[in-house]
Amino acid sequence: MLNLERLRTLDALARHGSVSGAADGLHVTTSAVSQQMAKLEREVGQQLLAKNGRGVRLTDAGQLLADHAARILSQVELAQSDIEAQRGQVVGEVRIGAFPTAARGLFPAALTALRSAHPELRVHSREVEPEQAIREVVRGDLDLAVVLDWSNKRLPMPGGLAQAHLLDDIPDVAMPADHPLADRTEVDLEEFAEDEWVSWPEGEFCYEWLMFTLRSKGFEPRIAHMAEEHHTQLALIEAGLGVCVTPRLGRGWVPEGVRLVPVRQRMLRHIYAVWRADADRRPSIRAAVAALSEAGGREGADGAAA
């Protein structure tokens, strides 16, 4: 009889590609992973791992069993979903991730509503960038993620995921109060061709979107500064160090020396929740999506009115 937890360990090794990665994903020590794999090899009577430089790789037998393990664990997820659905109670645990502005803009209201309506549900939340969040949902490290894409650049989405639209976020251009365009009611992005830009860090999805969008306007943006947090970006803008695109979701306080001007050809960030389709019937997932949707509806209305 194959042990389910050992199959889960093998599945984590296959997904993460290393013992340390599997240990992090399972929240156990590397020694525990190695012990579980040694026991699994004895159970099946075959070598499942082989040395690969300083790391390990799956043998042919290991890959074959890992493929079965993924299907078995998916069936277990479906069984758990069906049991929860039959009980009809929102209980247990749900792990939610979101990119920073969504965490700031949606989590306070959504998680408070969940705690009030479903006191037996334990919610764990953290910030995580969209592409990483999707990978973690696929791996099972997150139950639910809030992600984004843009109206002119979609976020790649693997199969096997369900999704629900939460809101459309409208970004503005932020500039110093003494900028020549600061008193305008609307601007075009190409009007900032000669400005220096403050951007998200290179390699992030929103950085790729910004470069793609500004280049489509006919100019090569001069990225002078990069910052992860929008509040840091706005502080740099107030100091006169450039301009940036800043979303309305989770914006909060804007420095006195910064002006926000809408873009004439409106850009939209599509914000949505994603989860594994095989967990679709879990009441906890449905309750979390409903709470996020309600919070998104309020944020969307406030953003459109701003």
Side-chain angles (χ1 to χ4, degrees):
M1 179 70 69
L2 294 172
N3 179 281
L4 187 61
E5 287 308 309
R6 288 165 199 156
L7 289 179
R8 199 180 302 279
T9 301
L10 177 62
D11 178 66
L13 266 168
R15 289 186 285 104
H16 292 276
S18 68
V19 172
S20 60
D24 289 342
L26 295 169
H27 306 292
V28 299
T29 65
T30 54
S31 176
V33 170
S34 298
Q35 290 174 19
Q36 288 283 64
M37 289 305 302
K39 291 176 181 178
L40 185 58
E41 287 184 328
R42 288 197 295 272
E43 282 180 352
V44 301
Q46 293 196 61
Q47 184 179 357
L48 303 176
L49 296 179
K51 289 189 177 297
N52 184 28
R54 294 185 177 180
V56 297
R57 62 173 178 82
L58 295 179
T59 63
D60 289 345
Q63 187 60 59
L64 176 64
L65 186 56
D67 291 341
H68 283 290
R71 290 192 290 272
I72 291 167
L73 293 171
S74 179
Q75 285 300 119
V76 170
E77 179 91 44
L78 282 170
Q80 290 174 334
S81 297
D82 286 342
I83 290 295
E84 283 190 31
Q86 187 181 50
R87 290 174 61 189
Q89 296 177 325
V90 181
V91 297
E93 177 182 274
V94 64
R95 300 159 298 169
I96 308 176
F99 58 96
T101 52
R104 187 162 57 245
L106 300 179
F107 277 2
L111 302 191
T112 299
L114 277 174
R115 184 172 60 183
S116 175
H118 309 290
E120 294 187 45
L121 178 66
R122 298 186 306 277
V123 180
H124 302 281
S125 69
R126 59 187 171 89
E127 291 183 355
V128 57
E129 289 299 321
E131 290 174 308
Q132 177 64 24
I134 287 174
R135 288 194 291 269
E136 293 193 25
V137 170
V138 170
R139 291 198 306 255
D141 298 333
L142 284 174
D143 298 306
L144 181 69
V146 180
V147 300
L148 68 93
D149 56 24
W150 295 82
S151 49
N152 63 336
K153 189 173 179 64
R154 309 299 290 185
L155 182 68
M157 189 67 60
L161 297 183
Q163 58 183 271
H165 177 261
L166 301 179
L167 75 151
D168 287 332
D169 188 28
I170 305 170
D172 302 306
V173 177
M175 65 196 79
D178 60 358
H179 192 282
L181 303 179
D183 293 329
R184 294 268 294 275
T185 57
E186 290 183 324
V187 292
D188 292 311
L189 290 177
E190 50 265 40
E191 295 181 90
F192 299 93
E194 300 304 319
D195 285 271
E196 291 188 329
W197 284 81
V198 178
S199 167
W200 296 272
E202 189 171 358
E204 289 191 7
F205 179 70
C206 285
Y207 169 87
E208 301 297 336
W209 166 82
L210 181 67
M211 299 299 289
F212 171 81
T213 300
L214 297 183
R215 286 168 178 164
S216 73
K217 299 297 180 180
F219 67 94
E220 182 66 25
R222 293 185 294 151
I223 306 297
H225 308 283
M226 294 182 180
E228 184 81 39
E229 281 289 332
H230 288 108
H231 290 167
T232 305
Q233 294 179 7
L234 293 179
L236 295 170
I237 302 303
E238 185 181 33
L241 297 174
V243 300
C244 75
V245 170
T246 184
R248 296 180 185 179
L249 175 64
R251 178 181 288 168
W253 177 76
V254 177
E256 185 177 341
V258 173
R259 295 293 179 269
L260 302 171
V261 183
V263 178
R264 181 172 290 108
Q265 294 181 326
R266 180 166 288 191
M267 306 174 292
L268 292 177
R269 293 199 314 170
H270 304 299
I271 315 297
Y272 49 101
V274 298
W275 63 96
R276 287 169 61 110
D278 55 16
D280 193 53
R281 292 188 289 275
R282 286 178 57 189
S284 57
I285 296 290
R286 291 180 175 273
V289 172
L292 288 166
S293 296
E294 185 176 350
R298 290 197 295 269
E299 281 288 325
D302 292 343

